[in-house]
Amino acid sequence: MHATIDVRLTVSIDDDKTIPLATLAEFITDRNVESALLESLVESLDAARVEALCGEKHATGNGDNRFQRAGTDTRTAVTTAGEHEFSLHYVQDTAADHDESSYFRPVEDMIAFDGQNRYQQDIAAKGVDLATSLSYRDTADHGDGIFERMPSPTTINRRAREYGGKLKQFLPDCVADTDADAVIPDGTKCHSQDDDRSYHSVQATLGEDTADESRSLLDLSVNADWDETAAELDDKDAVTDDATVVSDAEEGIVTAFTDEHTDHQLDLVHVGRTLDYNLWDDGVFSMDQRNEIVSEVIDEVFHLKNSVAKHRPDEEFAAIRSRIARTTDRIEKTAWQLDQYGSEKATGYLRRWLQSIVTFAEAAIEGFEVPWTSNPVERLMGEVSKRCKNQGMRWTAEGLEAVLQLRLVKYADPPHYQSFLDKLLQRSTKTAMSCDLSIESTGGKL
């Protein structure tokens, strides 16, 4: 079906005035040309569909047709093109069954409105996209400066929940068979407005393909159990059987993601700060003594990191083995000395996590690259803080998970986020449309 719209646009400018191009662009935009074109297009298609069903208006014999004109009604809608009022026809199907509605809008066979929603998917998606960075109130305020009409904060909130839920259902197909060889999980907390808890636990898991140097968000959950997350990722084949887990010293993460086939790499950046806390908690050493102990351990750890970076490219594995042995020996000696002084927690920390400190170096000897830091997921937690931890923010579990699905997928996996929006807005249907535009301008008139 074709629709042709004849448009005449006349713009007059005083001869003694110089108008900035930006002002002219703003002037044309304020005329809501796109909105008027869309309304005319839809009403033209509506008229063509009605005529195809009911015959030409006032034509002889129309009264014998199955489909009869049944008046018009106004359908309002808001899109990125503007705010619209469509005058659309109703048609009666005189042969409809008694249990079926006999009245319908023929144009809706071609043009699908978003149910009874006034704000259509395009403008709603723009609002939700802004809401991944701004509060719902700020989104509505800022959007009004970009689009003719923006949804209210309440509507944006509702759509964010809806689209966040749809995105969560969309993601499993994206991460299935990812076969990440490094898993980087971490968690944080956000204030809750639910009655049963003060905080919500946010758990995010990144997968990294070290060969391609690519990362994907494998899972985002709220108030979930790490064991459940690990099992679900295993069912989806999102990680390899021998993937290395890179994290801080949270036992829940290590227990959930590691087994006899999976090693753990402790984030080396955390070693100094966690050791310092344990030394302080033991209360055995002065601040200067604690700083000296921590400095010695950090020097050993990062000397090992630098040694791997230096010798791995040239496959100088003997040098790496030597450095691993030296680092292990010195940390074991430090742990023994701390034990003699009665610093139990610091001793336990070093002995518990020593093997995890050198995992990346041992993997290098085998020809594999293992990240020595969980910094990528730490940055992801920073995105959580920027959106969800501002002063006064409190969340329901559903609302928090929805907005973080959108925020973190957009941050960590822009292609997946874009694919989701393409599916949501059914952009593939653009292939069913074509448009020819011709413009002639004469005498300063367009």
Side-chain angles (χ1 to χ4, degrees):
M1 181 170 287
H2 301 274
T4 301
I5 302 172
D6 296 320
V7 179
R8 180 179 179 82
L9 175 65
T10 302
V11 178
S12 300
I13 301 176
D14 293 345
D15 292 337
D16 60 342
K17 296 291 185 181
T18 299
I19 308 297
L21 178 61
T23 305
L24 178 60
E26 197 172 64
F27 176 82
I28 296 298
T29 302
D30 291 342
R31 305 283 76 77
N32 297 323
V33 175
E34 289 181 338
S35 178
L37 285 175
L38 183 60
E39 290 174 19
S40 297
L41 174 61
V42 172
E43 290 175 358
S44 176
L45 292 171
D46 175 63
R49 287 291 295 161
V50 171
E51 185 171 302
L53 290 172
C54 305
E56 292 185 19
K57 201 168 186 179
H58 307 304
T60 302
N62 278 355
D64 298 327
N65 292 339
R66 171 182 173 180
F67 297 103
Q68 297 290 315
R69 289 177 171 84
T72 60
D73 193 14
T74 298
R75 172 63 157 97
T76 62
V78 180
T79 69
T80 49
E83 192 170 8
H84 315 284
E85 282 192 3
F86 303 100
S87 180
L88 304 176
H89 290 83
Y90 274 98
V91 165
Q92 182 184 13
D93 182 0
T94 59
D97 294 335
H98 294 295
D99 58 348
E100 295 179 344
S101 175
S102 60
Y103 294 92
F104 64 98
R105 285 176 172 150
V107 73
E108 291 181 352
D109 291 338
M110 297 187 65
I111 306 297
F113 290 85
D114 187 14
Q116 298 300 313
N117 292 321
R118 183 164 179 252
Y119 292 93
Q120 303 302 293
Q121 296 99 321
D122 60 337
I123 189 68
K126 292 292 186 182
V128 169
D129 185 63
L130 281 173
T132 62
S133 300
L134 304 173
S135 69
Y136 296 122
R137 184 176 291 108
D138 287 346
T139 295
D141 291 342
H142 284 68
D144 278 336
I146 303 172
F147 304 103
E148 181 186 351
R149 185 71 177 247
M150 276 295 284
S152 68
T154 301
T155 299
I156 297 170
N157 185 334
R158 176 170 54 82
R159 290 297 184 94
R161 291 170 184 251
E162 176 187 349
Y163 294 169
K166 289 181 177 180
L167 178 55
K168 185 171 185 177
Q169 295 174 355
F170 174 82
L171 279 180
D173 290 338
C174 297
V175 302
D177 302 321
T178 300
D179 285 340
D181 54 14
V183 181
I184 314 176
D186 199 9
T188 188
K189 295 184 182 297
C190 295
H191 286 286
S192 169
Q193 62 172 268
D194 294 334
D195 294 334
D196 62 338
R197 62 179 67 238
S198 299
Y199 294 91
H200 292 301
S201 296
V202 177
Q203 295 106 354
T205 305
L206 283 178
E208 179 172 335
D209 186 328
T210 53
D212 294 341
E213 297 184 350
S214 61
R215 302 184 186 96
S216 294
L217 180 65
L218 301 181
D219 181 78
L220 184 282
S221 301
V222 173
N223 301 327
D225 186 271
W226 282 118
D227 290 326
E228 295 176 2
T229 300
E232 289 176 2
L233 293 178
D234 186 53
D235 290 341
K236 298 172 188 174
D237 291 329
V239 297
T240 59
D241 293 336
D242 57 352
T244 303
V245 181
V246 185
S247 73
D248 56 22
E250 184 178 338
E251 291 284 0
I253 291 176
V254 179
T255 301
F257 284 95
T258 59
D259 55 28
E260 64 272 16
H261 304 294
T262 307
D263 294 324
H264 175 253
Q265 171 62 48
L266 185 66
D267 184 348
L268 300 186
V269 177
H270 284 256
V271 172
R273 68 183 70 163
T274 306
L275 176 60
D276 187 44
Y277 173 79
N278 283 311
L279 288 168
W280 169 84
D281 199 27
D282 285 331
V284 175
F285 300 102
S286 67
M287 179 182 294
D288 290 340
Q289 290 172 321
R290 294 198 304 269
N291 290 340
E292 184 178 351
I293 295 168
V294 170
S295 178
E296 290 177 358
V297 172
I298 290 176
D299 286 346
E300 283 300 324
V301 167
F302 281 92
H303 195 157
L304 174 63
K305 188 267 291 184
N306 294 334
S307 179
V308 171
K310 177 181 178 181
H311 297 295
R312 183 176 182 272
D314 297 328
E315 298 184 355
E316 296 172 341
F317 299 138
I320 297 177
R321 286 192 187 93
S322 176
R323 174 49 59 181
I324 292 173
R326 184 170 181 176
T327 299
T328 301
D329 180 67
R330 290 192 173 185
I331 292 179
E332 286 177 345
K333 182 178 180 180
T334 299
W336 180 85
Q337 291 173 333
L338 294 177
D339 188 30
Q340 300 306 302
Y341 282 102
S343 184
E344 296 180 359
K345 292 182 179 179
T347 300
Y349 172 75
L350 290 178
R351 288 174 173 169
R352 166 67 179 87
W353 299 106
L354 176 56
Q355 182 58 47
S356 292
I357 289 174
V358 301
T359 296
F360 78 104
E362 292 178 340
I365 295 174
E366 300 298 325
F368 300 106
E369 183 175 359
V370 170
W372 55 268
T373 176
S374 61
N375 189 49
V377 80
E378 298 282 355
R379 291 199 297 269
L380 203 68
M381 293 298 102
E383 296 299 307
V384 175
S385 297
K386 284 190 283 187
R387 178 60 184 91
C388 300
K389 290 190 176 186
N390 293 319
Q391 186 174 6
M393 284 189 172
R394 280 167 172 70
W395 300 86
T396 63
E398 179 189 3
L400 179 63
E401 183 166 359
V403 77
L404 285 180
Q405 287 285 354
L406 295 159
R407 170 85 180 197
L408 298 188
V409 173
K410 179 182 178 182
Y411 172 81
D413 285 308
H416 291 167
Y417 183 74
Q418 191 60 51
S419 296
F420 167 72
L421 291 180
D422 291 343
K423 182 178 180 180
L424 176 72
L425 299 178
Q426 301 180 56
R427 285 173 173 153
S428 61
T429 59
K430 289 182 179 181
T431 58
M433 297 180 284
S434 61
C435 178
D436 293 323
L437 175 66
S438 61
I439 297 176
E440 296 180 2
S441 59
T442 57
K445 293 183 180 181
L446 187 64

